[in-house]
């Protein structure tokens, strides 16, 4: 009894220090070196007035012009377009899905069609139905464009898709990107449940696809740590995807990567290899030649997210069937990198020949600050390119005139 009393007394005396030591570490900070002050840049989730949206700062190649397509859309991220031209935008922290429709005079109107959802980042249109992927919740809004002012209750497909929950992910990399494949299937990412760790490689760090009813799950690629952007080549139909590399391994390693998936089930190597080279902590004696190598390196910690092949006719021929990639920008790096849109140019064999800057001007290197964070790109039917800026809650429209 005396030992128990003494033990309790010691615990009470050490209470504040003990509580401080026991405080949970947020998922993003696991593995952060002692003394590091790096932390994510919190998104701005309030409306930014039009005059504060930094469209005048954007820099583009000759002949291109940027304008504000829509603003006042806090946290706008991944986009999908309805048959009648409505642009739908998902979000993460704010939990909303927006619908942006264009008026006859060229202005736009924004409506909130869903809110209170857990990180509804992933959107895909199939016919007149909008699918919303909010972590593991899957909601289908039928005939949505005809009901923007009176949105009906969605069809809940959560059980059919049976995606890992936020708890399964331990709060890490659980938001989704969704794409409709040329085969009519829905393609999704399932991120890793940690920064880097051991995990079930049939459950996490995957690209997967389903039939639209949530049946027939198929693993398209393993060992892709955290992809938040993918698209199919319009000619070869091959799946391509961006990928975010691990944290806390230095300023310049690993690179974020671009992946080309030629056959379902390919293994791209994470956690044993990152950015095409062996991970110093988790290689487990594996040779990176065992795995499919990245199609291209996109830069360290640039946060490469949404990507699309350019299928329009407005831009010059050199951009046809090339990959536009939004790089949201770094936080896990002492000097900022990314905050732009780049183009991956492919050669005749479908290999990446070069990565070229396209939309810049949002990163202020002299003062180490940024003006906005591009998170997704979307090719409109008229051939113009939309870029979603999460930080300013705006969508930019890029056009070309000879």
């Amino acid at each position: 009894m005396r030992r128990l009393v003494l033990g309790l007394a010691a615990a009470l005396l050490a209470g504040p220090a003990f509580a401080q030591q026991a405080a949970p570490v947020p998922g993003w900070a696991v593995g952060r070196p002692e003394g590091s002050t790096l932390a994510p840049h919190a998104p701005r989730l309030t409306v930014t007035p039009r005059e504060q949206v930094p469209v005048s700062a954007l820099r583009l190649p000759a002949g291109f012009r940027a304008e504000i397509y829509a603003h006042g859309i806090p946290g706008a991220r991944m986009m999908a377009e309805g048959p009648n031209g409505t642009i739908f935008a998902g979000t993460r922290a704010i939990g909303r899905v927006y619908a942006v429709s264009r008026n006859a005079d060229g202005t736009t109107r924004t409506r909130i069609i869903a809110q209170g959802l857990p990180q509804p980042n992933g959107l895909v249109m199939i016919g007149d139905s909008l699918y919303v992927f909010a972590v593991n919740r899957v909601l289908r809004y039928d005939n949505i464009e005809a009901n923007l002012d009176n949105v009906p209750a969605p069809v809940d497909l959560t059980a059919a898709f049976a995606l890992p929950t936020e708890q399964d992910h331990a709060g890490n990399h659980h938001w989704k990107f969704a794409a409709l494949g040329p085969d009519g299937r829905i393609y999704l990412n399932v991120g890793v449940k940690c920064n880097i760790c051991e995990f079930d490689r049939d459950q996490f760090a995957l690209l997967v696809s389903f039939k639209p009813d949530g049946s027939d799950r198929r693993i398209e690629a393993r060992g892709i740590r955290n992809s938040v952007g993918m698209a199919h080549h319009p000619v070869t139909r091959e799946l391509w995807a961006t990928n975010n590399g691990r944290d806390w391994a230095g300023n310049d390693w690993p690179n974020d990567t671009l992946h080309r998936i030629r056959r379902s089930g390919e293994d791209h190597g994470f956690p044993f290899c990152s950015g095409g080279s062996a991970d110093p902590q988790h290689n487990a004696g594996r040779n990176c030649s065992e795995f499919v190598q990245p199609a291209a390196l996109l830069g360290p910690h640039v946060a490469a997210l949404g990507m699309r092949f350019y299928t329009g006719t407005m831009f010059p021929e050199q951009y046809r069937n090339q990959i536009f990639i939004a790089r949201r920008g770094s936080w896990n790096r002492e000097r900022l990198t990314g905050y732009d849109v780049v183009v991956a140019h492919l050669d005749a064999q479908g290999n990446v020949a070069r990565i070229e800057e396209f939309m810049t001007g949002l990163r202020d290197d002299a003062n180490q600050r940024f003006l906005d964070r591009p998170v997704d790109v979307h090719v409109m039917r008229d051939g113009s390119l939309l870029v979603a800026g999460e930080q300013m809650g705006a969508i930019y429209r890029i056009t070309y005139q000879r």
Side-chain angles (χ1 to χ4, degrees), residues 103-317:
N103 302 318
D105 62 359
T107 60
T108 57
R109 178 184 176 188
T110 299
R111 301 169 175 88
I112 298 171
I113 63 167
Q115 55 187 336
L117 296 174
Q119 306 206 42
N121 187 74
L123 306 179
V124 68
M125 287 292 307
I126 301 181
D128 62 4
S129 296
L130 175 70
Y131 287 69
V132 176
F133 292 85
V135 188
N136 67 306
R137 291 189 65 188
V138 185
L139 305 175
R140 190 186 75 213
Y141 294 84
D142 294 331
N143 201 23
I144 184 62
E145 285 185 289
N147 294 283
L148 295 177
D149 291 314
N150 187 23
V151 179
V155 177
D156 193 330
L157 297 172
T158 301
F161 279 83
L163 296 167
T165 66
E166 183 172 354
Q167 290 72 32
D168 294 332
H169 277 272
N172 289 281
H173 312 121
H174 44 294
W175 47 97
K176 299 292 181 287
F177 184 93
L180 179 63
D183 54 3
R185 296 172 67 88
I186 296 175
Y187 288 73
L188 298 169
N189 61 304
V190 181
V192 72
K193 63 176 184 176
C194 55
N195 173 31
I196 185 166
C197 61
E198 299 297 327
F199 56 89
D200 184 341
R201 301 182 82 250
D202 287 333
Q203 293 296 322
F204 299 99
L206 301 173
L207 304 182
V208 294
S209 70
F210 299 83
K211 290 181 178 179
D213 63 1
S215 65
D216 193 29
R217 176 184 182 266
R218 186 172 75 201
I219 294 176
E220 303 295 342
R222 291 180 175 83
I224 295 182
R225 178 181 178 272
N226 181 33
S227 174
V228 196
M230 68 191 80
H232 288 80
H233 192 287
V235 177
T236 68
R237 296 162 63 107
E238 290 175 338
L239 178 64
W240 290 68
T242 56
N243 177 56
N244 286 246
R246 61 163 295 193
D247 297 324
W248 314 123
N251 284 320
D252 299 317
W253 191 88
N255 270 253
D256 285 357
T257 44
L258 180 65
H259 294 259
R260 180 184 186 183
I261 296 91
R262 301 192 187 192
R263 290 170 294 278
S264 293
E266 289 181 352
D267 197 325
H268 290 243
F270 183 82
F272 311 113
C273 298
S274 296
S277 58
D279 190 280
Q281 291 176 287
H282 285 266
N283 180 249
R286 304 292 293 272
N287 192 318
C288 292
S289 63
E290 299 175 43
F291 307 109
V292 178
Q293 297 300 299
L297 304 181
L298 298 176
H301 309 298
V302 295
L305 299 186
M307 56 158 283
R308 300 290 194 285
F309 286 88
Y310 183 75
T311 53
T313 58
M314 177 188 289
F315 289 9
E317 181 67 30

Side-chain angles (χ1 to χ4, degrees), residues 335-372:
R335 292 193 63 81
L336 300 181
T337 186
Y339 305 91
D340 56 16
V341 174
V342 298
V343 181
H345 287 277
L346 309 183
D347 62 21
Q349 289 72 46
N351 300 312
V352 177
R354 69 185 189 281
I355 305 293
E356 169 183 85
E357 289 184 335
F358 179 75
M359 190 188 86
T360 61
L362 296 175
R363 190 183 72 238
D364 178 355
D365 289 332
N367 297 295
Q368 283 298 288
R369 66 188 185 102
F370 60 89
L371 303 179
D372 205 346

